[in-house]
Amino acid sequence: MDDEQIALWQPGMISWNVCNYIFHDPKDLAFYQGKLYAVCRSKPRLFALELKEDDCGIIVYHVEHCVTEPCFRHPMQLGIIGGSMSCNIVVWRGLLLLIIRYYGDFYPRSNVRRVKVFALDFSRTPYGVAEIDNISGDCIFVGSGGCKSFPDSLHDTVEGDLIYFVPDDWNPYDRFVYNMRNGSIKPFAAKLLTCNFDVPEEIVDFPVWLFLSSDAAEQI
C-alpha cells in the first residue's frame, strides 16, 4: 500500500506542501501545543507529528507514537472476540481529549453501546490517561470534518456536558447525543439520510455542523 499523504499550508506559502506519512487508517486530526496529533479512527493509536519550516514551507519532520490501544480495551470484549471502536480527538480547555465510541458489532457500526472520554497528559513519561465524566458544562460536536468544543451558553438549545454526533463516512449510522452526566445515549435528527453505498462515491455526502459567530459561520 502506498503511503498516505497529508497536505500542509500556512500564510505566506504559495501552494500546499504534500507530505507522506507511514500509518494507514482513516484519521482524526487536532492541532495542540505546537504539534499536529492524529488518531486512528478504528483503534486508539495516537501519533504526534512535529512540524518545522524549510524552503518549501511547513513540513512534517518527526512522528512519535504517543498512545497505544491496550489502555482502552473494549468493555465488552472477551479475548479476541468483541465489538469495534471509533476514535476522535478534540481540544477542550487546554487539554486534548480522546473520545471513543464502542460498538457491539464490527460492521456496519450501527449499535453504539458506550461512549468514553479520556484526558491525555503529555507532561508525563509515559503519557498519562484519565477517564473523565464531565466537561464542566461545555459541549462537544463531532462531525465529518473534525470536532469542536464550546461553552453551552454560546448556542441556543445546546445543553452542557453533552456530545453531539452526526454521521460521517466512517460511521454512517451515528446520529445521537451522549450525556456525560449519566451515560445515556439518545438519538436525534432522525430524518438525516444515512450513507447509501449503492450510489457513486462522488455524490455521497454527510451533514456538517455550522457554528455562527459574530463574524462568520464556522464549519467542521
Side-chain angles (χ1 to χ4, degrees):
M1 180 183 294
D2 294 336
D3 287 348
E4 296 188 33
Q5 296 178 321
I6 184 170
L8 301 172
W9 181 88
Q10 67 177 2
M13 294 174 58
I14 61 175
S15 64
W16 291 84
N17 186 23
V18 179
C19 308
N20 291 327
Y21 58 91
I22 59 174
F23 36 90
H24 307 284
D25 200 14
K27 305 294 183 302
D28 195 21
L29 303 173
F31 192 75
Y32 177 69
Q33 293 185 345
K35 297 180 181 180
L36 183 64
Y37 286 86
V39 67
C40 298
R41 293 297 305 275
S42 63
K43 59 194 70 174
R45 292 180 178 174
L46 183 69
F47 299 85
L49 286 67
E50 295 189 43
L51 310 177
K52 72 174 184 179
E53 294 187 36
D54 67 1
D55 295 338
C56 298
I58 188 169
I59 64 169
V60 176
Y61 79 96
H62 179 69
V63 177
E64 180 183 2
H65 191 186
C66 301
V67 177
T68 55
E69 54 186 304
C71 300
F72 311 97
R73 184 175 295 277
H74 198 295
M76 291 165 288
Q77 196 170 40
L78 299 175
I80 60 173
I81 301 175
S84 58
M85 304 179 188
S86 178
C87 304
N88 293 93
I89 49 178
V90 62
V91 177
W92 168 75
R93 296 197 180 195
L95 296 174
L96 187 64
L97 303 184
L98 172 64
I99 303 171
I100 303 181
R101 283 169 272 180
Y102 297 92
Y103 300 86
D105 49 15
F106 284 100
Y107 190 83
R109 288 170 292 276
S110 57
N111 60 338
V112 62
R113 298 291 184 85
R114 190 173 300 177
V115 178
K116 289 190 175 185
V117 182
F118 301 88
L120 306 176
D121 182 1
F122 297 102
S123 66
R124 300 168 47 188
T125 303
Y127 299 116
V129 177
E131 185 176 357
I132 61 175
D133 58 9
N134 72 85
I135 45 177
S136 301
D138 293 346
C139 54
I140 293 174
F141 297 86
V142 179
S144 58
C147 307
K148 290 282 187 180
S149 63
F150 293 98
D152 66 320
S153 59
L154 289 184
H155 300 283
D156 294 338
T157 73
V158 171
E159 299 181 37
D161 288 319
L162 299 184
I163 304 178
Y164 296 81
F165 296 90
V166 291
D168 59 23
D169 55 353
W170 183 248
N171 300 296
Y173 300 97
D174 279 2
R175 46 182 181 274
F176 65 90
V177 180
Y178 173 68
N179 189 324
M180 294 191 65
R181 300 169 188 163
N182 56 28
S184 64
I185 297 174
K186 295 183 178 181
F188 81 105
K191 293 184 179 180
L192 288 178
L193 295 178
T194 56
C195 180
N196 183 345
F197 293 100
D198 295 327
V199 300
E201 182 178 354
E202 61 269 16
I203 67 171
V204 173
D205 205 354
F206 296 96
V208 297
W209 293 112
L210 289 173
F211 301 109
L212 294 178
S213 67
S214 57
D215 299 320
E218 182 176 2
Q219 174 180 316
I220 69 168

